[in-house]
Amino acid sequence: QVQLVESGGGSVQSGGSLRLSCAASRVTGGWMAWFRQTPGKEREGVAAVLGSRMATTYSDSVKGRFTIFQDNTKNALYLQMNNLKPEDTAMYYCAAGADQYPLRPVDYKYWGQGTQVTVSS
């Protein structure tokens, strides 16, 4: 089993920045990703990274503003979020263990509990 613990969420004004962190209890292999969800909506894939090839993919809604990266020495995953908008407000989840379809939630084996991001206008 793998434990994932997110941190770094908070409240910021539009245009601000936050960095989310995810600490993994061990290396999982495969894709690691950040998802987000708001009440009443489906979980949305935001960004994913495949550490072995450093391949990354982003949803269109965050491309150019968010950056996903790993620190394999610390079993950590990060999401740098710049130029935040009110529509980025959501609970953000770290996920690990997908073999393909990196922005599809059902492919992931392990999930964190989430960290809240709130962006005010």
Side-chain angles (χ1 to χ4, degrees):
Q1 190 70 340
V2 175
Q3 281 75 49
L4 302 173
V5 180
E6 302 97 335
S7 61
S11 297
V12 295
Q13 291 192 326
S14 182
S17 297
L18 283 174
R19 178 177 290 187
L20 304 184
S21 300
C22 173
S25 58
R26 65 173 177 85
V27 174
T28 61
W31 291 87
M32 293 191 74
W34 289 96
F35 289 80
R36 66 186 182 187
Q37 190 170 23
T38 55
K41 293 189 176 181
E42 293 186 354
R43 195 163 291 191
E44 173 194 14
V46 173
V49 61
L50 182 61
S52 60
R53 294 187 284 118
M54 291 305 295
T56 57
T57 187
Y58 297 89
S59 67
D60 289 342
S61 60
V62 306
K63 201 172 294 184
R65 300 187 297 121
F66 291 10
T67 303
I68 187 171
F69 57 100
Q70 288 180 299
D71 183 344
N72 289 327
T73 65
K74 299 179 181 178
N75 291 344
L77 179 72
Y78 302 94
L79 185 69
Q80 177 66 41
M81 305 186 295
N82 298 328
N83 191 21
L84 283 160
K85 304 175 181 180
E87 51 264 42
D88 295 318
T89 295
M91 184 71 77
Y92 282 72
Y93 298 91
C94 174
D99 294 322
Q100 55 184 341
Y101 306 114
L103 295 183
R104 195 169 74 173
V106 296
D107 282 32
Y108 283 84
K109 300 180 179 68
Y110 310 109
W111 291 87
Q113 294 300 305
T115 185
Q116 178 68 37
V117 171
T118 302
V119 184
S120 58
S121 57

